[in-house]
Amino acid sequence: MIAELVSVGTEILLGNIVNTNSVYLSEQCAGLGLSVYYQTVVGDNEERMKAVISTALERSDVVILTGGLGPTEDDLTKEVTAQLMGLPLVEDSHSKELLEKYMKQYEKNNPQRRITSNNYKQALVPEGSLVLDNHNGTAPGLIIEKNGKTAILLPGPPNEMKPMFEESVYPFLRKKLPETIFSQVVKICGIGESQVAEDIQDLIKAQSNPTIAPYAKVGEVHLRITAKGEDEKECKKMIKPIVRELKNRFGRNIFATDAEKSLEEAVVDMLKDQKLTLALAESCTGGEIAARIVNVPGASEVFGHGYVTYSNRAKRKCLGVKKVTLKTDGPVSAKCAREMAKGGCIFSDADICLSITGLAGPGGGTKETPVGTVFMGCCYNGKVITREFHFTGNRGKIREQATAHALALLRECIMEGINKK
Amino acid sequence: MIAELVSVGTEILLGNIVNTNSVYLSEQCAGLGLSVYYQTVVGDNEERMKAVISTALERSDVVILTGGLGPTEDDLTKEVTAQLMGLPLVEDSHSKELLEKYMKQYEKNNPQRRITSNNYKQALVPEGSLVLDNHNGTAPGLIIEKNGKTAILLPGPPNEMKPMFEESVYPFLRKKLPETIFSQVVKICGIGESQVAEDIQDLIKAQSNPTIAPYAKVGEVHLRITAKGEDEKECKKMIKPIVRELKNRFGRNIFATDAEKSLEEAVVDMLKDQKLTLALAESCTGGEIAARIVNVPGASEVFGHGYVTYSNRAKRKCLGVKKVTLKTDGPVSAKCAREMAKGGCIFSDADICLSITGLAGPGGGTKETPVGTVFMGCCYNGKVITREFHFTGNRGKIREQATAHALALLRECIMEGINKK
C-alpha cells in the first residue's frame, strides 16, 4: 500500500520551522509496512494545494496531510480535500460541543480575550468522515475514505498531531493493512559502527524476514529488526532468535532492547539496581554528561554531585587535583582524569565518579595534544581506570561524542564492578 | 522568481534522516527573495524521479535538487535531469582530475581499500552546464540552464552541500535576481513573545519595505528586518532606522543585532568586557546552563566552577545551604536559591554566581510547589536577587525554558551591576 505525506504551511517553505512531522510520520509508516514514495510541502494557497492534493490522491492509496486545519481563512486543507473528493462539509455536533467547552475554558483563563466566531469553522467536517478528537487543541483530525482512497487530515502542531496519530490513526492503518509489521530495536554502545556492520555481515546477507537494519547514532549503534507476519505474536516469535543471536555476538555492549530506552536511562537503571551513587567531574563537556543523567526522571535517587571544573583552579579546589599534575602532565592528561575521578569520589562520598578532561577546540591544540584529545577516568571501589580518545569535528561535535563515550565507559565500569563482587 | 526544492533519497522517505537541507535552502531562498512554492522528497527511483523533476521544471523557474549525485547505480539525479532537459552527458576533464586526486589520497589513507571504477561516473556532466567543485567530497555540483529554466544539482550530505551553496550557488542566484534582499536580526530576551508582538504592532501594521517578522525561540524573541533595494548598501540604510527604533523600545532586552550571536555568547562577551568571573550552581537544570556557557569558545577565560548540586546533601556540602532552609523552606524555594548563589560565590571565589533550583517533574509536584516551579538566584557584589518562575511542558521543556531564562537573568544582573558602578 502506497502512502504519501503532504505538509501544508508557508512557514515550512520559508525555512522558519523544521518539518519534524514528516520524519515522525515516515518512521511510523515504515514501521507499519506502508511504502512512502513522496513527501510534499505546499504553502497555504488554495490553487497550489489543489494541485498537490489531487496529484497525491491520484498516485497514492493513503495521503496523510498535516497542517491547515485551524480557524483562520488561510487554513484550507479540509476545504480543498473535501472538494477534491466530492464531499460537502457538514456540522459535527460532537466536535462543536468539544470546541465550545474548550473556548469557555480559554476565556475563563484569559478574561481579556474573546474567541472569535470563525472558530466554529473547525466543527465542520466532510460528510461521512471519521472525526478524531483533539485532546491538545481545537482542530479535530479527520479520516476520509472514498473510491479506495484514504485521506487522513491531522493538525500541524506536533504536540497535537503525534498523540492523535498514536491514539486513532495508527490503529486505523494497522487494521487496513493485510500483514502486521513489527520491529524491535537492539541498542549497542562501546563498539563502532563499522565493527558492528562487519560482525553482522552474514546475518544481513542471509536476511529476508525478519530484516536487520543498522543505524549509527553518536556513540551508539542501533539495530532495527523488522518482521512481517500475521499478527504481533507471530512477528515477535520471528524476532526472538535474532535478538538472541545478537546478544551472543555483542553481549554486554547491548544496553537496551527497546526503542524508548536511552543510554543514560540504562546507566541510571543499573545504578539503582546496584544501589550505587554517582558523581561526575567534567571539564571539556562542561555539564553535558550531568544534563544527560538528569534527563532521566528520578535520577536524584543515584546522582547527587556534579562538578564542572572548567579551570585548573576548580580542578584543584573541588577535586584535589595536584598542582604538579597540572604543571607536568597538564589538565588534558590521563593523570589529571585519574585524580579528578578519585577526588570526585572522595569529596562527594559517591560510590562511583566519572571524570572527563579534553580539548574541544577550536583553539589550544598542539602537536602532542591536538584538538579532539579527551581523557576519561572512572573511579569505583577505590580503583581508577582511564581511557584516551581522539575525536574529530567541531567543538560541539567533539563534546557530543565525548559525552556519549563517557556514558558507555561509565556503564562498562559499573558492569566490571558487578562482575567482581 | 519561483523556486522549488527537490530532495532525492529513500532514507528521507523512511524517516531515517531529517531533511535539514530543505530548511537551510528554504531560508537561503527566502533571504534572496526567491519564492519557494513547493518542496518535494522522492526516493531513488527513476520513474518517480522523472515525474517529480519534470513537474518541478514546468511550474518553477529555479529547481534546486539535493542528493543522488554519488557513484552508485541508485544515484540518478544528474542522469534524469539531463534527459528531461535534453542534454547529453559529457566528460568534464577538470572534474576527472580532481576525482583522481581525491581517489589517490583516499587509497593512501586506506591501503586496504580500492576505489571502484564506477566513481568515474561522477566526472560526467550535462553538456554546457556549469560545474561546481566539491571541496568536501567527490560529486561535483551542477548548474544547468535551458529555455529559461535553471536546475541546480547539489550533493546530499549537508557538509558538502552547504559550503557549495555559499561559495557558488548563492552568488549565482544573487546575480540572477533583479533586486537585493538583505535582512538583519534583532534578538530579545527577558520579554515574552506576546508582549513583543504588542509593542511592535504599530510597526508591523505600517510595514511595507523593510518588513519586520517576529520568531519565538525558547526564552528569546527574534525580529527579522528584511529590506529590498538596489544593493546591500541601500538595504542597510533602510534597515538602520528600524533597528534604532527597536533599540528605543526594547533597550537592554536586546542582546544581539546579528544572526550568529547566541545568548550565551552575549553573556560571555559581557563577562569578558567587565573582567568578571562566573560560577554556576545548578539543581534542576543539572548542568545545562554550564553546557551552554561552555558552548562558547574561550569560555574558560570567565567560567571556572560549576556545581551540579542535585541532592540536598550536595547543596549543603558544596554550596553551604543551611539544613534549616532545606527543612523549612525546602530545596525548591527562593531561600535555597539565595543560599546556593551566595555559597557558589564564596566557595569558587567567582565575582558572580547564578543559581537555579526547581521541580522539572514528572513526579514530586504538590499544591504549593507544582511541577514547573523554578527559583533562580544571582549573587553579585555580595547582594543576591531571586526570581520565581512557573513553566509548563514536560521535563525536558521545563529545563530548557529554565536554562534560557536563567541566562537572561544572569545578563540582567551583570548589567545592573555595571550601572551601579
Side-chain angles (χ1 to χ4, degrees):
Chain A
M1 201 172 282
I2 295 165
E4 175 155 359
L5 309 182
V6 177
S7 311
V8 179
T10 302
E11 67 278 19
I12 307 173
L13 294 179
L14 287 171
N16 294 341
I17 60 165
V18 181
N19 191 357
T20 55
N21 286 344
S22 285
V23 183
Y24 172 83
L25 291 171
S26 298
E27 264 188 330
Q28 293 292 328
C29 288
L32 279 158
L34 278 165
S35 304
V36 176
Y37 281 173
Y38 307 93
Q39 294 174 4
T40 313
V41 183
V42 63
D44 305 295
N45 171 288
E46 190 169 353
E47 201 185 319
R48 293 195 282 275
M49 281 172 71
K50 264 188 196 158
V52 164
I53 299 173
S54 73
T55 305
L57 284 168
E58 227 163 78
R59 65 188 175 190
S60 306
D61 304 307
V62 178
V63 180
I64 307 180
L65 300 112
T66 49
L69 294 184
T72 77
E73 274 178 31
D74 274 355
D75 294 306
L76 290 166
T77 308
K78 184 172 62 190
E79 289 74 4
V80 169
T81 312
Q83 200 196 325
L84 286 171
M85 295 179 90
L87 296 166
L89 291 177
V90 294
E91 192 176 277
D92 179 59
S93 59
H94 171 67
S95 294
K96 194 178 171 190
E97 227 169 77
L98 285 183
L99 195 61
E100 283 179 335
K101 209 169 130 190
Y102 184 94
M103 281 156 69
K104 259 186 207 143
Q105 186 59 41
Y106 182 87
E107 292 188 344
K108 207 170 141 194
N109 289 341
N110 302 274
Q112 74 290 9
R113 287 192 178 180
R114 286 273 146 259
I115 286 196
T116 48
S117 61
N118 57 2
N119 267 280
Y120 283 107
K121 169 174 176 301
Q122 296 174 97
L124 295 175
V125 307
E127 201 171 52
S129 57
L130 184 64
V131 181
L132 317 175
D133 287 352
N134 186 343
H135 304 300
N136 303 289
T138 52
L142 295 164
I143 296 180
I144 318 172
E145 290 186 285
K146 201 178 165 183
N147 301 337
K149 301 285 180 176
T150 306
I152 302 176
L153 281 62
L154 300 172
N159 66 328
E160 299 178 27
M161 187 278 286
K162 287 184 191 177
M164 194 182 280
F165 187 90
E166 270 156 40
E167 191 188 307
S168 313
V169 182
Y170 188 93
F172 170 84
L173 290 173
R174 186 72 172 263
K175 248 195 250 164
K176 259 190 112 65
L177 291 162
E179 277 182 319
T180 296
I181 305 269
F182 185 85
S183 65
Q184 189 180 342
V185 175
V186 171
K187 296 185 177 181
I188 295 168
C189 67
I191 317 180
E193 187 197 359
S194 54
Q195 186 63 50
V196 171
E198 214 178 297
D199 289 352
I200 57 165
Q201 223 179 359
D202 57 321
L203 296 178
I204 285 191
K205 265 196 181 151
Q207 75 184 4
S208 61
N209 182 23
T211 56
I212 308 174
Y215 301 104
K217 308 267 166 183
V218 176
E220 304 175 16
V221 183
H222 297 182
L223 299 175
R224 181 182 291 271
I225 308 132
T226 307
K228 282 188 195 190
E230 269 208 1
D231 53 24
E232 201 172 298
K233 203 178 152 195
E234 197 195 41
C235 291
K236 279 184 176 168
K237 211 173 142 188
M238 289 159 84
I239 288 173
K240 213 174 167 183
I242 307 276
V243 174
R244 199 184 308 125
E245 181 54 31
L246 293 174
K247 280 185 178 167
N248 276 343
R249 296 189 187 196
F250 298 107
R252 298 187 344 187
N253 290 100
I254 295 173
F255 68 87
T257 51
D258 70 276
E260 297 308 314
K261 192 171 230 167
S262 65
L263 181 53
E264 53 263 36
E265 214 177 325
V267 168
V268 168
D269 283 355
M270 283 174 83
L271 291 166
K272 277 185 187 168
D273 281 351
Q274 302 295 321
K275 297 197 191 343
L276 294 173
T277 56
L278 171 71
L280 294 168
E282 299 181 61
S283 183
C284 61
T285 46
E288 266 182 46
I289 305 174
R292 279 196 58 181
I293 291 288
V294 171
N295 277 343
V296 185
S300 55
E301 273 181 54
V302 295
F303 175 62
H305 286 71
Y307 304 92
V308 182
T309 54
Y310 207 54
S311 66
N312 281 351
R313 219 179 132 263
K315 289 182 186 73
R316 285 174 56 200
K317 199 165 169 181
C318 295
L319 300 169
V321 173
K322 288 179 197 138
K323 206 172 176 176
V324 60
T325 303
L326 294 168
K327 211 170 167 186
T328 54
D329 290 68
V332 180
S333 66
K335 203 167 178 192
C336 182
R338 173 179 299 275
E339 292 179 11
M340 284 171 73
K342 202 151 195 177
C345 271
I346 294 167
F347 285 91
S348 70
D349 265 340
D351 300 311
I352 302 186
C353 178
L354 175 75
S355 71
I356 185 158
T357 178
L359 197 59
T366 61
K367 212 182 162 188
E368 294 77 39
T369 313
V371 168
T373 306
V374 175
F375 291 90
M376 300 177 192
C378 191
C379 177
Y380 183 18
N381 287 332
K383 282 210 287 195
V384 188
I385 64 152
T386 61
R387 289 279 166 81
E388 182 175 349
F389 292 88
H390 293 273
F391 300 114
T392 54
N394 62 19
R395 185 175 173 89
K397 202 84 201 150
I398 288 170
R399 289 168 63 213
E400 194 186 357
Q401 292 173 81
T403 298
H405 283 84
L407 287 171
L409 173 65
L410 175 56
R411 187 175 164 273
E412 192 189 317
C413 291
I414 302 168
M415 282 192 298
E416 288 286 336
I418 291 163
N419 292 336
K420 277 183 190 155
K421 265 190 190 167
Chain B
M1 202 173 279
I2 295 165
E4 174 154 0
L5 308 181
V6 177
S7 310
V8 179
T10 302
E11 66 280 18
I12 306 173
L13 295 178
L14 288 170
N16 294 343
I17 60 165
V18 181
N19 191 358
T20 54
N21 285 347
S22 285
V23 183
Y24 171 83
L25 291 172
S26 298
E27 266 188 329
Q28 293 291 327
C29 287
L32 279 158
L34 278 165
S35 305
V36 176
Y37 280 173
Y38 307 93
Q39 293 174 3
T40 313
V41 182
V42 63
D44 305 294
N45 171 287
E46 191 170 353
E47 201 185 320
R48 293 195 281 276
M49 279 171 71
K50 264 187 197 160
V52 163
I53 299 172
S54 73
T55 304
L57 284 168
E58 227 163 80
R59 67 188 174 190
S60 306
D61 304 305
V62 177
V63 181
I64 307 180
L65 300 112
T66 48
L69 294 184
T72 77
E73 275 179 31
D74 273 355
D75 293 307
L76 290 166
T77 307
K78 183 172 61 189
E79 287 76 4
V80 168
T81 311
Q83 200 194 325
L84 287 170
M85 294 179 90
L87 296 167
L89 292 176
V90 294
E91 193 175 275
D92 180 57
S93 59
H94 171 67
S95 295
K96 195 178 171 189
E97 228 169 77
L98 283 183
L99 195 61
E100 282 178 336
K101 207 169 129 191
Y102 184 93
M103 282 155 71
K104 259 187 207 141
Q105 186 58 41
Y106 182 86
E107 291 187 345
K108 206 172 140 193
N109 290 340
N110 302 272
Q112 75 288 10
R113 288 193 173 177
R114 284 274 147 257
I115 286 196
T116 48
S117 59
N118 58 4
N119 266 279
Y120 283 107
K121 168 172 175 306
Q122 296 174 98
L124 295 176
V125 307
E127 202 171 50
S129 57
L130 185 62
V131 181
L132 317 174
D133 287 352
N134 187 343
H135 304 300
N136 303 289
T138 52
L142 296 163
I143 297 180
I144 318 171
E145 290 187 284
K146 200 179 167 184
N147 301 336
K149 301 285 180 175
T150 306
I152 301 176
L153 281 63
L154 301 172
N159 66 327
E160 298 177 27
M161 189 278 286
K162 287 184 191 178
M164 196 181 279
F165 187 90
E166 270 156 41
E167 190 188 309
S168 313
V169 182
Y170 188 93
F172 171 84
L173 290 173
R174 186 71 171 265
K175 249 194 254 164
K176 260 189 112 65
L177 290 162
E179 277 181 320
T180 296
I181 305 268
F182 185 84
S183 65
Q184 188 179 342
V185 174
V186 170
K187 297 184 177 180
I188 295 167
C189 67
I191 316 180
E193 187 196 0
S194 54
Q195 186 63 51
V196 171
E198 215 177 296
D199 290 352
I200 57 166
Q201 223 179 358
D202 58 321
L203 296 179
I204 286 191
K205 266 198 179 147
Q207 74 183 7
S208 61
N209 181 26
T211 57
I212 308 174
Y215 302 104
K217 308 268 164 181
V218 176
E220 303 175 15
V221 183
H222 297 182
L223 299 174
R224 180 182 290 272
I225 307 132
T226 307
K228 283 188 196 188
E230 270 210 357
D231 53 25
E232 202 172 297
K233 202 177 151 195
E234 197 195 42
C235 292
K236 279 184 177 168
K237 211 172 140 189
M238 290 159 83
I239 288 173
K240 213 173 166 185
I242 308 276
V243 173
R244 199 184 308 126
E245 182 56 30
L246 292 174
K247 280 184 179 167
N248 277 341
R249 295 189 187 196
F250 298 107
R252 299 190 341 191
N253 290 99
I254 294 172
F255 68 87
T257 51
D258 69 275
E260 297 308 315
K261 192 172 227 165
S262 65
L263 181 52
E264 53 263 35
E265 215 178 323
V267 168
V268 168
D269 282 356
M270 282 175 82
L271 291 166
K272 277 185 187 169
D273 280 352
Q274 301 295 321
K275 296 198 191 343
L276 295 172
T277 57
L278 171 70
L280 294 168
E282 301 181 60
S283 185
C284 62
T285 44
E288 265 180 49
I289 306 173
R292 279 195 58 181
I293 292 288
V294 171
N295 277 344
V296 185
S300 55
E301 272 181 54
V302 293
F303 175 62
H305 286 70
Y307 305 92
V308 183
T309 55
Y310 208 54
S311 67
N312 281 351
R313 220 180 132 262
K315 288 181 187 71
R316 286 174 54 202
K317 200 165 167 182
C318 294
L319 300 168
V321 173
K322 286 178 197 139
K323 205 171 175 175
V324 59
T325 302
L326 294 168
K327 210 170 166 187
T328 54
D329 290 67
V332 181
S333 65
K335 204 166 176 190
C336 182
R338 175 179 296 274
E339 292 179 11
M340 284 170 73
K342 204 151 194 174
C345 270
I346 295 168
F347 285 92
S348 71
D349 265 341
D351 300 311
I352 302 186
C353 179
L354 176 74
S355 72
I356 187 160
T357 178
L359 196 60
T366 63
K367 213 182 162 191
E368 294 76 37
T369 312
V371 168
T373 307
V374 174
F375 291 91
M376 300 177 193
C378 192
C379 178
Y380 182 21
N381 285 333
K383 280 212 288 198
V384 189
I385 64 150
T386 62
R387 288 280 167 83
E388 182 175 348
F389 291 89
H390 293 273
F391 300 115
T392 54
N394 63 18
R395 184 176 175 88
K397 202 82 200 149
I398 288 170
R399 290 168 63 213
E400 195 186 357
Q401 292 172 81
T403 298
H405 283 83
L407 287 171
L409 174 64
L410 175 56
R411 187 175 165 274
E412 192 189 316
C413 291
I414 302 169
M415 281 191 300
E416 287 285 336
I418 292 163
N419 291 335
K420 279 182 189 155
K421 267 186 186 168

